[in-house]
Amino acid sequence: MTGLPDLTAIEAMDAADPLRAMRDRFVVPEGLVYLDGNSLGAASPAAFAELEQAAKVEWGRDLIRSWNKAGWFEMPLVLGDRIGKLVGAAPGQTVVADTTSINIYKALHAAMSLRPDRTIIVAEGGSFPTDLYITEGVLSTRPGATLRLEGVDAPSIEDLIDENVAVVLVNHVNYKSGELRDMAALTKRVQDAGAVVVWDLCHTAGALPIDLDGANADFAVGCSYKYLNGGPGAPAFIYVAQRHLAEARQPLSGWWSHARPFAFEQGYAADAGIRRFQCGTQCILSMRALKGALDIWDDVDMHALRRKSVALTDLFIQLVEAKCEGLGLTLESPRDSSRRGSQVAFRHDNAYAVMQALIERDVIGDFRAPSTLRFGFTPLYIGFKDVWTGVEVLEDILRSDAWKDERFAVKAAVT
Amino acid sequence: MTGLPDLTAIEAMDAADPLRAMRDRFVVPEGLVYLDGNSLGAASPAAFAELEQAAKVEWGRDLIRSWNKAGWFEMPLVLGDRIGKLVGAAPGQTVVADTTSINIYKALHAAMSLRPDRTIIVAEGGSFPTDLYITEGVLSTRPGATLRLEGVDAPSIEDLIDENVAVVLVNHVNYKSGELRDMAALTKRVQDAGAVVVWDLCHTAGALPIDLDGANADFAVGCSYKYLNGGPGAPAFIYVAQRHLAEARQPLSGWWSHARPFAFEQGYAADAGIRRFQCGTQCILSMRALKGALDIWDDVDMHALRRKSVALTDLFIQLVEAKCEGLGLTLESPRDSSRRGSQVAFRHDNAYAVMQALIERDVIGDFRAPSTLRFGFTPLYIGFKDVWTGVEVLEDILRSDAWKDERFAVKAAVT
């Protein structure tokens, strides 16, 4: 792109967008510039329809019989394989269950069980915090095991990997900066040292094409309520490479992970396949909304998605830097799109107030402590005009000092 | 009750039932005798309405803003306190989150953390199996800890409790027989030996009045999709007595359990209250269906509920034993209603086939391996006429040998 596009050029970009029609399959409130699909993806008529069918017909009319008749029992596996398809996992390696945090717990224990003679977990100091909190929880149950942190014990995660490391827990896309790691290269580096890797795909799944099997990944976890649009708190997923399934053990060994859950045996026997990474009965209604959302993905070309994602984020950076120059913003995301996910972060000394002012004017991104404005671009329902409008409002708020109003002052933030 | 009631007497019982009007607040399909509310409770217009509001308005229109605006963040605590009210827990001790299996894992670890010098977990050989499987999972992460099982290591759980026992995990109502334990007495016995108790309330919550605080219980877990009617796989709950909250630690230390989840701190610090028993982001849609179901409970007198439950189960036993005498059924539940939950089990050599035949004729209970017919009686929407009809159909199936049809032959059962 050369020169700064004007509104006519922006509208031409929307008109030429091969994914433009996808927007009609989502509920995007009129007038809202929603740059927060990386926190909660938009709703869809497809999700509503599944939810209503599951509630009114399957629960309401068929009751307990729906566990078989409506396929509730198999849904974690069926939806797991469908997410697997979006992240490069062949069938039988992915299951939808529980939360990302709980799946990290399972994955870390399972990874440690594969390397019983090693005691170190490597993670990122800049990780989304739950990864670290859960790691502490795992360590609390494994006496002698310790943690090495990127940014604390060494500047780069690669420098922390040696023959004592059992497992490396790493985010594919950083939740704050959007920095994208090279999955194949880091996986190889970890495995060359004899360790296993757990990829956190929360900001990856549905945001860009990836290939877990092709990268020879060991484990992965991720959520379905961001780019996959599964609904608020939709259940998470876990991927375990086929080669580890027979051997990897995790201690959340509830009856759904048993080889014969309905034999009601007294002793535990783990299922031989990916079912062993389930635990208890899943939230069927929430899972059905996710099913509706996943139906939309059947028609999405992930490479077209990525091209549009790059175009959206490049445009946003270009417009912000041109229009808001000298207004206190600094790019926190990688400028090189090949090293960036589908989100852009800018630093501002008063990021909290600026984001509150944006939200009041119907431009929704989010604030991340202490000073980050984070904007997510979900190519299925965000257009180039949204980027244009978002930057216009941002510029106006900064130029007018509108964010200095006392109603935007920092308080105990919960978003 | 003297003599066998006839249909006129049964109809008079329904007419005099103070809970009769509650049935209209549920969706009970016409012609169905649903004696399986102890496996999946019935749906309700209230649950549907909450679900639709949460999906279409809060998710669809308000998107991320609903975490604050619609109270999504606080919902696990708000609903926790509402369930707490039904099980005798003062506010601030109960949270709705995750699954029963996962909450057992949290509770066992937390209980062990309170008794660091003790190594033994006591449980029931006849427990619902997930309790035992999860116990094995906990033991796998606590080297040196071991299990003592009622029915294996001694006939009675009381005989297994001594000064080496850290925690006793026990079902208040047995999932199969419906046998009801004396919560206050067993809690005292456990605590007199210096141990702590974890009560599994899956077949209790919403089935009969209980008083966790009054019994001085330490921990409790339970599900919300049975008698509480929260919907398929609705999230579970966990209760931790106030006196333990500051000290009890559980390793599923996700960000929702952190003292300051939105400060995005690198190090873990557990919340001081019941929030520390949360872990990750919950299934909001499923949780909202549960909220709708709980609204109904505001108008229920738990003692009236219990009176009706006893009358229903007493009637069922009386009618089955009178009408099906000599047809191969043996009562497996306690005959004394003061020792029985809201369910009745009969043994039959061909229980699987008999239950399939019943289901085909719209009388729904469930089969529990190897030879149990289990019938649940949820007083909010089951009437005395349902009991009458259910027994009539059961008698007919047994007298006519209808269950011997090959389509009811045992196969790999999943219900």
Side-chain angles (χ1 to χ4, degrees):
Chain A
M1 204 179 294
T2 55
L4 202 63
D6 60 9
L7 186 53
T8 308
I10 297 287
E11 287 171 345
M13 292 165 81
D14 275 332
D17 171 14
L19 290 173
R20 186 66 180 166
M22 296 304 293
R23 186 184 177 103
D24 297 336
R25 299 177 69 174
F26 291 91
V27 178
V28 185
E30 196 60 37
L32 194 70
V33 177
Y34 191 63
L35 306 180
D36 210 5
N38 53 332
S39 201
L40 173 62
S44 58
F48 296 159
E50 285 289 331
L51 202 54
E52 183 157 348
Q53 168 75 11
K56 295 193 178 167
V57 178
E58 297 169 13
W59 177 24
R61 187 192 70 191
D62 296 338
L63 287 153
I64 193 70
R65 295 168 291 196
S66 289
W67 281 105
N68 290 313
K69 189 176 166 186
W72 289 354
F73 274 120
E74 298 301 320
M75 215 182 337
L77 302 169
V78 170
L79 299 190
D81 281 346
R82 293 184 68 183
I83 291 178
K85 208 173 150 190
L86 299 176
V87 295
Q93 303 175 105
T94 312
V95 67
V96 170
D98 303 319
T99 64
T100 303
S101 295
I102 285 170
N103 287 334
I104 292 170
Y105 189 84
K106 296 173 190 169
L108 286 178
H109 268 294
M112 299 288 278
S113 80
L114 297 175
R115 295 294 179 272
D117 299 333
R118 296 179 173 213
T119 55
I120 292 168
I121 299 177
V122 169
E124 305 155 285
S127 172
F128 185 79
T130 210
D131 302 59
L132 303 178
Y133 304 159
I134 289 288
T135 301
E136 287 195 42
V138 170
L139 292 172
S140 77
T141 68
R142 298 188 89 95
T146 55
L147 176 64
R148 287 182 188 166
L149 274 187
E150 182 190 51
V152 175
D153 299 308
S156 145
I157 207 163
E158 284 81 358
D159 300 330
L160 295 170
I161 302 168
D162 63 27
E163 70 286 350
N164 298 312
V165 171
V167 52
V168 176
L169 169 63
V170 61
N171 289 268
H172 188 222
V173 172
N174 183 276
Y175 80 104
K176 206 159 150 180
S177 70
E179 182 159 4
L180 170 65
R181 302 222 186 224
D182 183 332
M183 181 180 284
L186 182 55
T187 297
K188 184 171 185 311
R189 173 76 184 82
V190 170
Q191 292 171 348
D192 283 350
V196 296
V197 65
V198 179
W199 285 101
D200 183 332
L201 304 181
C202 280
H203 292 269
T204 302
L208 58 153
I210 49 170
D211 187 0
L212 285 172
D213 287 346
N216 200 40
D218 296 296
F219 297 87
V221 300
C223 86
S224 71
Y225 54 75
K226 298 179 187 290
Y227 294 95
L228 293 176
N229 312 305
F237 65 89
I238 180 167
Y239 159 93
V240 181
Q242 185 67 47
R243 65 187 178 281
H244 295 316
L245 278 174
E247 205 186 341
R249 299 177 59 91
Q250 61 90 9
L252 292 171
S253 45
W255 66 308
W256 279 58
S257 72
H258 197 278
R260 295 165 297 277
F262 289 92
F264 296 95
E265 296 170 10
Q266 205 173 68
Y268 182 68
D271 181 79
I274 190 65
R275 284 182 205 268
R276 69 165 58 188
F277 284 84
Q278 299 188 88
C279 181
T281 310
Q282 292 300 301
C283 288
I284 295 299
L285 298 175
S286 285
M287 205 171 270
R288 280 299 285 278
L290 171 60
K291 177 183 177 300
L294 291 176
D295 287 344
I296 298 172
W297 287 95
D298 287 346
D299 303 321
V300 177
D301 172 348
M302 293 301 283
H303 295 281
L305 181 94
R306 175 63 175 163
R307 281 191 298 274
K308 182 173 172 187
S309 162
V310 168
L312 289 166
T313 52
D314 274 347
L315 176 66
F316 184 73
I317 293 170
Q318 184 190 22
L319 289 176
V320 169
E321 293 193 333
K323 291 171 176 268
C324 305
E325 198 184 346
L327 297 176
L329 295 174
T330 314
L331 182 66
E332 278 190 315
S333 298
R335 191 171 297 279
D336 173 1
S337 64
S338 72
R339 290 182 45 236
R340 195 174 66 222
S342 201
Q343 66 199 63
V344 175
F346 278 97
R347 210 194 153 288
H348 188 281
D349 284 344
N350 297 93
Y352 178 80
V354 172
M355 185 52 72
Q356 297 311 306
L358 279 167
I359 291 169
E360 196 185 69
R361 289 188 54 189
D362 282 339
V363 176
I364 300 189
D366 47 24
F367 163 73
R368 284 294 174 256
S371 54
T372 297
L373 297 163
R374 190 181 74 165
F375 302 92
F377 299 85
T378 56
L380 294 189
Y381 53 82
I382 293 299
F384 296 95
K385 180 82 179 290
D386 292 315
V387 174
W388 174 270
T389 308
V391 177
E392 270 200 320
V393 175
L394 176 61
E395 182 189 0
D396 186 62
I397 283 169
L398 293 173
R399 286 204 191 282
S400 66
D401 287 344
W403 58 270
K404 291 185 179 168
D405 190 287
E406 64 178 16
R407 70 188 184 283
F408 303 133
V410 178
K411 52 183 180 194
V414 287
T415 55
Chain B
M1 203 181 295
T2 55
L4 202 64
D6 60 9
L7 185 53
T8 307
I10 296 286
E11 286 171 346
M13 293 165 82
D14 275 332
D17 171 14
L19 290 173
R20 186 66 180 166
M22 296 303 293
R23 186 182 177 103
D24 296 337
R25 299 177 68 172
F26 291 91
V27 178
V28 185
E30 196 59 38
L32 195 70
V33 176
Y34 190 62
L35 305 180
D36 209 6
N38 54 332
S39 199
L40 174 62
S44 58
F48 295 160
E50 285 289 330
L51 201 53
E52 184 157 346
Q53 168 75 10
K56 295 192 177 168
V57 178
E58 297 169 13
W59 177 24
R61 186 191 71 190
D62 296 338
L63 286 152
I64 192 72
R65 295 169 291 196
S66 289
W67 281 104
N68 291 313
K69 189 176 165 186
W72 291 353
F73 273 120
E74 299 301 320
M75 215 183 334
L77 302 170
V78 171
L79 299 190
D81 281 344
R82 293 184 66 183
I83 291 178
K85 208 173 150 190
L86 300 177
V87 294
Q93 303 176 103
T94 312
V95 67
V96 170
D98 302 320
T99 64
T100 303
S101 296
I102 285 170
N103 288 335
I104 293 170
Y105 189 85
K106 296 173 189 167
L108 286 178
H109 268 294
M112 299 288 279
S113 79
L114 297 175
R115 296 293 179 272
D117 300 333
R118 296 179 172 213
T119 56
I120 292 168
I121 299 177
V122 169
E124 306 155 283
S127 173
F128 185 79
T130 209
D131 302 57
L132 303 178
Y133 304 160
I134 288 289
T135 301
E136 285 195 41
V138 170
L139 294 173
S140 77
T141 69
R142 300 189 88 96
T146 55
L147 176 64
R148 286 181 188 166
L149 274 187
E150 182 190 50
V152 175
D153 300 307
S156 145
I157 207 163
E158 284 80 359
D159 300 330
L160 295 170
I161 302 168
D162 62 27
E163 71 286 352
N164 297 312
V165 171
V167 50
V168 176
L169 169 63
V170 61
N171 289 267
H172 188 223
V173 172
N174 183 276
Y175 80 105
K176 207 161 152 178
S177 69
E179 182 160 2
L180 170 65
R181 299 216 187 231
D182 183 332
M183 181 179 284
L186 183 55
T187 296
K188 183 170 187 312
R189 173 76 185 82
V190 170
Q191 292 171 349
D192 283 349
V196 295
V197 65
V198 179
W199 285 101
D200 183 332
L201 304 181
C202 281
H203 292 269
T204 302
L208 58 154
I210 50 171
D211 187 1
L212 285 172
D213 287 345
N216 199 40
D218 296 295
F219 298 87
V221 301
C223 86
S224 72
Y225 53 75
K226 298 180 187 290
Y227 293 96
L228 293 176
N229 311 305
F237 66 89
I238 180 167
Y239 159 94
V240 182
Q242 185 68 46
R243 65 187 178 280
H244 295 317
L245 277 174
E247 204 187 342
R249 297 178 60 91
Q250 61 91 7
L252 292 171
S253 45
W255 66 309
W256 278 58
S257 72
H258 197 280
R260 296 164 296 277
F262 289 91
F264 296 94
E265 296 170 10
Q266 204 173 68
Y268 182 68
D271 181 78
I274 189 66
R275 285 182 205 268
R276 70 165 57 189
F277 284 83
Q278 298 189 88
C279 180
T281 310
Q282 292 301 300
C283 288
I284 295 298
L285 299 175
S286 284
M287 205 170 270
R288 280 300 283 278
L290 171 59
K291 176 183 177 300
L294 290 176
D295 287 344
I296 297 172
W297 287 95
D298 288 345
D299 304 320
V300 177
D301 171 348
M302 295 302 283
H303 294 281
L305 182 95
R306 176 63 175 164
R307 280 192 296 274
K308 182 173 173 187
S309 162
V310 167
L312 288 166
T313 52
D314 274 348
L315 176 67
F316 184 73
I317 293 170
Q318 184 190 24
L319 289 175
V320 169
E321 293 194 331
K323 290 169 177 270
C324 304
E325 198 183 347
L327 297 175
L329 295 174
T330 314
L331 182 66
E332 277 191 318
S333 297
R335 189 171 298 279
D336 173 2
S337 64
S338 72
R339 292 183 44 236
R340 194 174 67 223
S342 200
Q343 65 198 63
V344 175
F346 278 96
R347 209 192 154 291
H348 187 282
D349 284 344
N350 297 94
Y352 179 81
V354 172
M355 185 51 71
Q356 297 310 305
L358 279 166
I359 291 170
E360 197 185 69
R361 289 187 55 187
D362 282 339
V363 175
I364 300 190
D366 46 24
F367 163 73
R368 284 294 174 255
S371 53
T372 298
L373 297 163
R374 190 182 74 165
F375 303 92
F377 299 85
T378 56
L380 294 190
Y381 53 83
I382 294 298
F384 295 95
K385 180 82 180 294
D386 292 314
V387 174
W388 174 269
T389 307
V391 177
E392 270 201 320
V393 174
L394 176 61
E395 181 189 2
D396 186 64
I397 283 168
L398 294 174
R399 288 204 190 282
S400 67
D401 285 346
W403 59 269
K404 291 185 179 170
D405 190 286
E406 64 178 15
R407 71 187 184 283
F408 304 133
V410 178
K411 53 183 181 194
V414 286
T415 55

